[in-house]
């Protein structure tokens, strides 16, 4: 069991670590140039983070893997992706995905 002092030191240390790692590029400015390959890879970071958050929610039902049509979230996600890729209209994808989700839940 950690003491109160250890807990506060841990919180403070993690706060400083987070602050410096997130602001290193701002503090260093133009003095440090990232390699072209790393800059290219960092462009995909937001999309990867979003996928890492969404996929577990979509493919798991009650903590177990559910890759079937009875999983309303999976069906809705598939409809949404298909519509957005096919039409390039995000709003239509969201509307049709929500409609599919509602219909599967009602059936």
């Amino acid at each position: 069991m950690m003491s109160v002092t250890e807990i506060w030191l841990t919180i403070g240390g993690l706060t400083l670590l987070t602050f410096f790692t997130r602001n290193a590029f701002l503090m260093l400015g133009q003095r440090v140039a990232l390699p072209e390959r790393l800059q290219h890879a960092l462009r995909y970071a937001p999309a990867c983070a979003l996928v890492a958050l969404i996929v577990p929610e979509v493919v798991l039902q009650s903590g177990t893997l559910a890759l079937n049509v009875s999983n309303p979230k999976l069906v809705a996600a598939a409809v949404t992706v298909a519509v957005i890729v096919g039409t390039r209209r995000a709003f239509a994808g969201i509307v049709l995905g929500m409609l599919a989700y509602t219909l599967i839940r009602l059936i």
Side-chain angles (χ1 to χ4, degrees):
M1 185 79 145
M2 293 176 70
S3 70
V4 173
T5 305
E6 290 173 324
I7 291 171
W8 281 109
L9 285 173
T10 302
I11 291 171
L14 289 173
T15 301
L16 288 173
L17 181 68
T18 301
F19 177 79
F20 285 114
T21 56
R22 290 180 182 245
N23 292 301
F25 298 113
L26 296 174
M27 291 184 291
L28 294 174
Q30 297 295 327
R31 290 176 283 191
V32 176
L34 293 176
E36 182 70 30
R37 192 170 183 177
L38 180 58
Q39 288 179 12
H40 183 70
L42 287 174
R43 290 185 189 132
Y44 296 100
C48 292
L50 187 60
V51 168
L53 291 171
I54 292 173
V55 168
E57 183 65 30
V58 169
V59 299
L60 296 176
Q61 257 185 338
S62 303
T64 59
L65 191 62
L67 297 175
N68 51 45
V69 293
S70 65
N71 179 352
K73 292 178 185 177
L74 183 62
V75 173
V79 168
T80 302
V81 169
V83 171
I84 291 174
V85 167
T87 66
R88 299 280 185 202
R89 296 176 187 255
F91 185 71
I94 293 168
V95 169
L96 291 174
M98 289 304 297
L99 183 61
Y101 179 72
T102 303
L103 290 174
I104 294 291
R105 288 198 57 186
L106 292 175
I107 294 176

